[in-house]
Amino acid sequence: MSIQWFPGHMTKAKRAIEEQLKAVDMVIECRDARIPIASSNPMIEELIQHKPRLIVLTKRDLAESKITDQWIAHYQEEGILAIALNVLKDNVISSISKGCELAMKPKHERDLKRGIRPRMTRALVVGVPNVGKSTLINRLAHRKVVEVANRPGVTMSLKRIRISDKLEVVDSPGLLWPRFEDQLYGIHLALCSSIKETGYQIDAIAQYGYDFFKEERTEKLLEYYKIESLDDLESFYRVLTTRVGQPEDRGPQLFLRDIQNHAFGPISWEKPDERTA
Ligand SMILES: Nc1nc2c(ncn2[C@@H]2O[C@H](COP(=O)(O)OP(=O)(O)O)[C@@H](O)[C@H]2O)c(=O)[nH]1
Ligand SMILES: [Mg+2]
């Protein structure tokens, strides 16, 4: 991903989402299960307001399932329904249908008490770039795409997918910006290939990765590189580069590439107890 976000883009994206929200009953918010904070939009709560919401933690195959479960429990405590998906492999139609039905349940019950029968639910899919929105939409679209509409005002097309007689999912072309205002989240996004790192950042990102593994997941590095212990960063890079016959200053690049290629198995970079926002 190499999208550059500027205030103008952000205002435009915000308006587009606000406009789209008027036409839907609920929101399906995709977040990367490895980095649910960094991959969430900082204004999402304000944007969604009181609409029912289903958080979909995508890429669950790349995250540590125990930590993903903690995230789901954490959202539950906050009164938000969350599910985790491998968008490439799981039965997304069934999971999304059930999730949306549960998210809408309180509203439907309120409506029924007032004598209003529930009508078809329209759910808008939102999320920052690279969380898997298009993949999700495409997998849902194995059913038929009922409409591609151009709405006046904002130039955008809305793709609506009829999932069942109870649910229609609306694709949102308005891209939301990630939580890059804090350097830590920028690093997390780069570790998950969700923003493009630039040359001068590679050392810092790789060093963050090294410190993370050294503190919490040492055995994963030892196992993968078949080394005895982690001493210091320099000797770690020396081992990495020597084995492939590359100059030592290529260490950070090689290590970051392995991280981004999921060489060490599922990794969750963010845990709910570290959550501040
Ligand atoms: N391993 C894994 N990869 C996924 C998953 N969902 C999406 N991807 C990959 O993530 C990348 C970004 O997905 P995309 O749908 O383009 O994201 P978008 O920018 O939100 O529309 C693609 O390479 C997808 O194949 C998932 O659940 N697991
Ligand atoms: Mg997309």
Side-chain angles (χ1 to χ4, degrees):
M1 293 309 303
S2 55
I3 296 170
Q4 294 281 320
W5 288 97
F6 299 108
H9 286 139
M10 285 153 62
T11 309
K12 213 176 145 199
K14 189 173 169 237
R15 287 219 189 100
I17 300 272
E18 278 168 346
E19 189 61 30
Q20 290 160 10
L21 278 169
K22 289 181 193 157
V24 298
D25 306 294
M26 63 166 287
V27 172
I28 298 171
E29 188 202 347
C30 299
R31 300 185 179 194
D32 187 322
R34 297 168 292 175
I35 48 168
I37 306 174
S39 66
S40 68
N41 174 270
M43 277 181 48
I44 196 73
E45 257 91 23
E46 190 191 320
L47 285 168
I48 296 178
Q49 296 199 357
H50 304 301
K51 286 239 154 81
R53 165 158 64 151
L54 172 67
I55 292 185
V56 176
L57 296 173
T58 59
K59 311 197 185 189
R60 71 173 181 90
D61 52 309
L62 304 179
E64 293 163 71
S65 51
K66 240 165 97 182
I67 297 179
T68 302
D69 289 344
Q70 289 171 17
W71 275 111
I72 290 173
H74 166 85
Y75 291 127
Q76 197 170 7
E77 277 166 29
E78 290 194 342
I80 305 169
L81 184 65
I83 58 172
L85 277 183
N86 174 344
V87 186
L88 304 174
K89 295 227 172 101
D90 289 344
N91 185 341
V92 296
I93 291 181
S94 143
S95 307
I96 294 290
S97 301
K98 278 186 210 142
C100 288
E101 197 173 329
L102 276 175
M104 288 300 290
K105 210 171 154 205
K107 163 126 196 345
H108 286 160
E109 283 173 356
R110 278 198 308 275
D111 284 353
L112 276 173
K113 275 194 196 132
R114 295 161 51 212
I116 305 167
R117 302 241 340 251
R119 49 183 184 96
M120 150 118 56
T121 296
R122 255 189 212 149
L124 180 72
V125 177
V126 301
V128 309
N130 205 46
V131 285
K133 295 180 299 299
S134 300
T135 312
L136 178 66
I137 292 285
N138 286 336
R139 290 217 52 216
L140 292 170
H142 280 300
R143 297 293 178 90
K144 66 177 183 226
V145 178
V146 288
E147 192 180 337
V148 178
N150 278 308
R151 306 187 76 230
V154 205
T155 41
M156 58 180 176
S157 64
L158 290 183
K159 197 204 235 171
R160 287 200 210 148
I161 298 154
R162 176 80 52 90
I163 310 291
S164 68
D165 54 2
K166 288 198 205 132
L167 180 66
E168 202 168 80
V169 169
V170 183
D171 185 11
S172 165
L175 286 177
L176 286 175
W177 59 99
R179 212 175 278 263
F180 49 19
E181 78 273 2
D182 185 313
Q183 204 190 344
L184 174 69
Y185 300 138
I187 291 173
H188 287 177
L189 289 161
L191 289 164
C192 296
S193 316
S194 283
I195 53 171
K196 208 175 157 59
E197 75 282 351
T198 55
Y200 67 90
Q201 293 170 323
I202 289 175
D203 289 8
I205 297 164
Q207 172 153 13
Y208 178 93
Y210 175 83
D211 291 340
F212 175 90
F213 277 101
K214 188 162 179 174
E215 269 167 43
E216 305 187 41
R217 313 282 195 284
T218 312
E219 71 296 342
K220 295 202 184 220
L221 285 197
L222 302 185
E223 216 172 276
Y224 183 77
Y225 294 118
K226 302 198 167 43
I227 46 182
E228 298 279 301
S229 64
L230 289 179
D231 302 319
D232 57 87
L233 189 59
E234 261 162 47
S235 36
F236 175 67
Y237 286 152
R238 202 172 309 125
V239 174
L240 255 65
T241 49
T242 315
R243 69 174 61 203
V244 290
Q246 294 223 17
E248 243 170 70
D249 63 1
R250 288 268 301 150
Q253 272 105 321
L254 291 178
F255 182 44
L256 184 55
R257 202 180 56 196
D258 284 343
I259 293 176
Q260 291 173 334
N261 290 339
H262 331 296
F264 318 107
I267 298 291
S268 295
W269 298 97
E270 294 173 359
K271 282 190 213 141
D273 54 357
E274 287 154 12
R275 192 186 156 104
T276 49

